[in-house]
Amino acid sequence: MVHQRTLRLDYDKTTCAVYVVGSELIVNLNRTAPPSSTFFSVKCTPSVQYSINPPHQEASHLSPVPLIRNSTLIITMSGASQSENDNKLSVQYYKENKEVLGKAVLHLTAVEISLDVDADRDGIVEKNSPKKTSWKWGPNGHGAVLLVNCDCERIYSKKPDCEDNHISKVSDLKDMSLMVLRTKGPAKLPQGYKLSMHISQRDAESVRVFRSKSPGMATNILGTLFSVFITNYPLVLSHDTLSKEVPYLGGAEEINFYVEGLRFPDKDFDGLVTINLSLLEPISDNLPETPIFTDRVVFRVAPWIMTPNTLDPEDVFVCSTSDNYEFLKEMDNLVAESGYKLKVCHEYMNREDRWIQDEVEFGYIDSPHHSFPVVLDSPRDGALKDFPYNELLGPDFGYVTRDPQNEEVNSLESFGNLEVSPPVTVNGKEYPLGRILIGVAFPTTTTGRNMTKVIQDFLWAQKVQEPIALFSDWLCVGHVDEFMTFVPASDKKGFRLLLASPDAGYKLFRGLQKDGHGEAKQFEGLKDQKPVTVNEILSDENLQAENNYVQSCIDWNRDVLKRELGLDDDDVIDLPILFKMNKDDGYGAVAYYPDMVNMIVLGKNLGIPKPFGPRVNGCCALEAEMRSLMEGLGLKCTFIDDFASYHQLLGEVHCGSNVRRKPFDFKWWNLKL
């Protein structure tokens, strides 16, 4: 929409005004005409254009035109001025008999002013895009993208860059969004005029703006690695400075500004910020300037995005503890065979806290000009609490957390209780970045455990991976990764949902009994573990009742997942896993033998907890069943002994490992919301 400005012209007086190219000056002729005026005429220099509203039939307005109550003059100019007051327009007023009553003269200085961003998301800051003032989702959408500057350029005395109010390295600029002020006009603005950049108090909580002191610097700063003095990039706008004068350089010039996101979308922040640039006009020495033109741009802060098992790994993380040497060795072999990197969190950092899956969730942020991984730090804050900040935060590796403050933290805060599906389509609605899955208490209970509201609010506010609540409080630990996971598949669907299934477990054990293997033993060969025969398992009525309860809870989640992810029964694979009720560490279900669904997925290689199932013809029956189910998908099963170092501590392979994965190829701003 064209910017319009009301301008008052006084007869028998010369008015000087600054005109911004692309806008319109609106003059109400009747309001400022001499008394008894009934006609008027208009003259102007060639660079000035005007029209009269309502329009008149006269071919030229040099001849007197009837002046009526709502006669309006609309003034525009085609280009910037070379010098101050180099263009002119005059209006002459007449009596009924065409006698001249007075003349209003307007001297005009035209300037081009444009505050520009990458509104079409192609990595280029185009000039004066008509779409820069709003945001629209989708492949045909528009609007600039802003990253939260949550990585750290420092090696020592770490803290996220967004907590610094200065720029110490040019390399930090790539984490910010470029905004360009383009001006064209005379060498200087008329006396007293100035440009002011400003933001609202609300937006100042979410954004900061720096300026390059060197006009016309190259806009492509990627790969720049040298250090610069802080004074080369002064702070313009912040929480403490909502408005600041910015230079008008004269001629045709550009000034680069770098916009820094300070916080992610959340319950109280929709992710949208607006930055304004105003041309201010002096009134008198004793009065403040008034705005006569405002240009604005809109950014949306990039959301934090989780990555599902179907994306390729980049780094695999495992803790080294005093009792997990064999586990660590087997994991190292699996990761090396899969072609990925194993990163070990050593004992000085983990302090015997082995549950690295529970401490952090890896994700990323993305924009047209840059992207980097961001770790979400769980509020569980076990002995691993310093790991994400001290070991992960760094250049191009961001950090975010949420403080539960007065909320009670429980096991459901741990991020084994936070998963994400592969991309799905549900009733025609596409979720190209998948959907987040969290475990909560059963919907009808008021006493169960839940993930803290501050984390749930954060996840919902990202918008691009609409969360699904699953029922996980029936478990002792309470994490969704204890009964479900996803594995890749090479068919059109691209994945399968794996669910723990006591029914499938009992079916397998009954089959063994029927085939004459009732005396085959679960846990045989395990140190300090009493073997249990298939017959004993099947005759344990309490165990059967407990697994009936567990199957009912899993079936509830199965129905939710099928409905919310658009799945058919063919998309779900039931894994033979039994549970038991734990009465030692809080009432709830735990895996009876190592929980095979709690696996690590590394491309086509699966690292599965070794179940120590009944051996038939020299082979573990549970392992054989898993291979039969997975190898049909082209997946390779590697069974890892986690019994003593993880299973007996109520966790498994997935709980004791974590994977940073490659980002989606799909760009979140193309999502149809």
Side-chain angles (χ1 to χ4, degrees), residues 473-528:
D473 191 37
W474 55 273
L475 289 152
C476 176
V477 176
H479 298 173
V480 294
D481 70 350
E482 297 177 76
F483 66 85
M484 62 157 293
T485 194
F486 297 94
V487 294
S490 57
D491 55 14
K492 183 178 180 181
K493 192 72 179 182
F495 70 92
R496 293 291 186 274
L497 167 64
L498 308 186
L499 287 179
S501 172
D503 282 354
Y506 274 100
K507 180 178 180 181
L508 183 145
F509 284 109
R510 291 189 185 107
L512 293 176
Q513 185 184 60
K514 181 180 178 182
D515 292 339
H517 303 294
E519 292 302 313
K521 296 175 180 179
Q522 182 77 39
F523 308 129
E524 188 171 23
L526 270 172
K527 183 180 178 182
D528 300 326

Side-chain angles (χ1 to χ4, degrees), residues 270-483:
D270 63 5
L272 294 174
V273 294
T274 300
I275 299 175
N276 307 279
L277 180 83
S278 292
L279 177 63
L280 305 182
E281 180 182 57
I283 300 299
S284 94
D285 292 341
N286 299 321
L287 295 172
E289 302 93 348
T290 59
I292 60 172
F293 171 82
T294 297
D295 202 7
R296 60 177 51 87
V297 294
V298 170
F299 289 91
R300 177 176 283 279
V301 175
W304 179 78
I305 301 173
M306 285 182 65
T307 52
N309 287 349
T310 48
L311 292 175
D312 289 338
E314 295 202 320
D315 295 311
V316 181
F317 294 84
V318 178
C319 288
S320 170
T321 63
S322 60
D323 62 351
N324 77 340
Y325 174 76
E326 291 299 327
F327 172 83
L328 198 62
K329 185 168 68 173
E330 292 183 42
M331 284 291 294
D332 189 31
N333 291 337
L334 171 66
V335 173
E337 181 183 341
S338 303
Y340 304 114
K341 301 174 184 177
L342 181 66
K343 295 194 172 184
V344 178
C345 176
H346 294 285
E347 293 166 66
Y348 75 88
M349 176 57 64
N350 66 57
R351 292 170 290 180
E352 294 296 308
D353 183 353
R354 67 201 68 210
W355 309 116
I356 197 167
Q357 179 67 227
D358 291 337
E359 185 62 38
V360 298
E361 189 68 54
F362 290 105
Y364 70 96
I365 56 176
D366 192 16
S367 74
H369 69 276
H370 189 46
S371 67
F372 56 85
V374 176
V375 62
L376 176 62
D377 187 4
S378 164
R380 78 183 274 266
D381 283 348
L384 264 169
K385 65 179 182 179
D386 295 331
F387 165 72
Y389 200 91
N390 292 348
E391 298 297 311
L392 297 177
L393 174 63
D396 281 342
F397 208 122
Y399 172 91
V400 62
T401 191
R402 283 295 177 268
D403 184 356
Q405 296 180 338
N406 297 325
E407 291 188 78
E408 182 180 351
V409 175
N410 60 68
S411 176
L412 271 67
E413 261 53 77
S414 298
F415 285 163
N417 197 33
L418 175 60
E419 296 296 324
V420 65
S421 80
V424 292
T425 300
V426 185
N427 296 325
K429 182 176 180 179
E430 296 180 351
Y431 295 90
L433 300 174
R435 298 188 67 180
I436 284 173
L437 307 168
I438 59 173
V440 298
F442 191 73
T444 61
T445 185
T446 58
T447 58
R449 299 165 298 171
N450 278 296
M451 183 178 284
T452 51
K453 186 174 183 296
V454 68
I455 292 292
Q456 293 197 53
D457 287 343
F458 173 82
L459 296 172
W460 273 100
Q462 306 315 302
K463 285 187 176 291
V464 297
Q465 295 175 305
E466 184 181 333
I468 300 169
L470 300 175
F471 174 34
S472 69
D473 191 37
W474 55 273
L475 289 152
C476 176
V477 176
H479 298 173
V480 294
D481 70 350
E482 297 177 76
F483 66 85

Side-chain angles (χ1 to χ4, degrees), residues 196-233:
S196 175
M197 189 171 287
H198 51 102
I199 52 176
S200 69
Q201 181 71 61
R202 177 180 179 274
D203 285 346
E205 303 291 336
S206 309
V207 71
R208 211 162 25 211
V209 179
F210 298 89
R211 173 173 68 87
S212 168
K213 277 194 171 181
S214 303
M217 280 185 66
T219 58
N220 180 10
I221 49 83
L222 297 181
T224 307
L225 299 176
F226 58 89
S227 298
V228 297
F229 293 106
I230 294 171
T231 53
N232 285 356
Y233 295 92

Side-chain angles (χ1 to χ4, degrees), residues 15-71:
T15 300
C16 295
V18 173
Y19 167 81
V20 179
V21 175
S23 65
E24 293 179 343
L25 297 179
I26 309 299
V27 179
N28 186 311
L29 295 172
N30 189 65
R31 190 171 71 179
T32 56
S36 304
S37 297
T38 56
F39 292 92
F40 70 94
S41 63
V42 182
K43 291 196 303 182
C44 64
T45 52
S47 293
V48 180
Q49 296 83 41
Y50 70 89
S51 61
I52 294 174
N53 190 36
H56 292 269
Q57 298 297 321
E58 286 81 356
S60 171
H61 302 133
L62 297 175
S63 302
V65 174
L67 178 67
I68 59 178
R69 185 175 60 85
N70 60 343
S71 289

Side-chain angles (χ1 to χ4, degrees), residues 95-113:
K95 285 184 176 181
E96 182 73 31
N97 62 3
K98 306 296 176 68
E99 178 185 344
V100 175
L101 288 175
K103 184 178 182 181
V105 177
L106 174 63
H107 288 171
L108 288 165
T109 303
V111 295
E112 294 182 13
I113 299 173

